[in-house]
Amino acid sequence: MAKILIVEPHPEVRDLLVRVVSRLGLEAVVYDDPADLATIDVVLVEPEHWGATEIARAARRASGARIVCVSIAPPSEESLGLDPFAHLLKPFSLAELERAVLSALERPELALRPS
């Protein structure tokens, strides 16, 4: 089962992301304390949140995870520096979020995880 790391500071948005990911049959992992980043497939991240970009970069280094930014702000230098697979502007539709997560999981690069 694919693991989706959620790095979102707003509890109501974080809970919505967890529900959507779980509804897709995927495992939602909320970043409260260091998870095993080597097992993460996709990171849903609010890049403007303090420390979030470092967490996303660490997950990418550990597992080759794809990054999907979810933000109220348009892409910034900080978020573009993550080389995100997608950048969703809040408020986004649930269908848009589902498409971004599923598309990120379909990328063949995910099969080439660092060992």
Side-chain angles (χ1 to χ4, degrees):
M1 174 186 304
K3 278 189 183 179
I4 313 302
L5 177 64
I6 299 171
V7 185
E8 167 61 56
H10 304 98
E12 63 282 354
V13 177
R14 184 176 54 238
D15 293 346
L16 172 67
L17 295 174
V18 167
R19 284 194 308 271
V20 170
V21 166
S22 297
R23 187 175 71 194
L24 291 172
L26 307 170
E27 183 178 350
V29 178
V30 176
Y31 192 84
D32 287 328
D33 57 71
D36 182 2
L37 296 179
T39 65
I40 300 300
D41 297 295
V42 174
V43 180
L44 292 176
V45 61
E46 164 61 82
E48 287 76 29
H49 178 58
W50 184 85
T53 56
E54 290 78 14
I55 295 165
R57 283 187 183 100
R60 176 170 282 151
R61 282 191 305 272
S63 69
R66 304 292 276 166
I67 296 171
V68 175
C69 294
V70 290
S71 177
I72 61 168
S76 65
E77 189 174 318
E78 184 76 13
S79 66
L80 291 174
L82 293 172
D83 189 26
F85 175 78
H87 190 105
L88 303 179
L89 287 174
K90 296 175 183 175
F92 46 80
S93 72
L94 297 183
E96 185 179 14
L97 174 63
E98 290 173 353
R99 276 192 306 274
V101 170
L102 293 174
S103 294
L105 287 171
E106 291 173 359
R107 301 298 291 206
E109 299 90 326
L110 288 174
L112 303 174
R113 292 181 179 239
S115 43

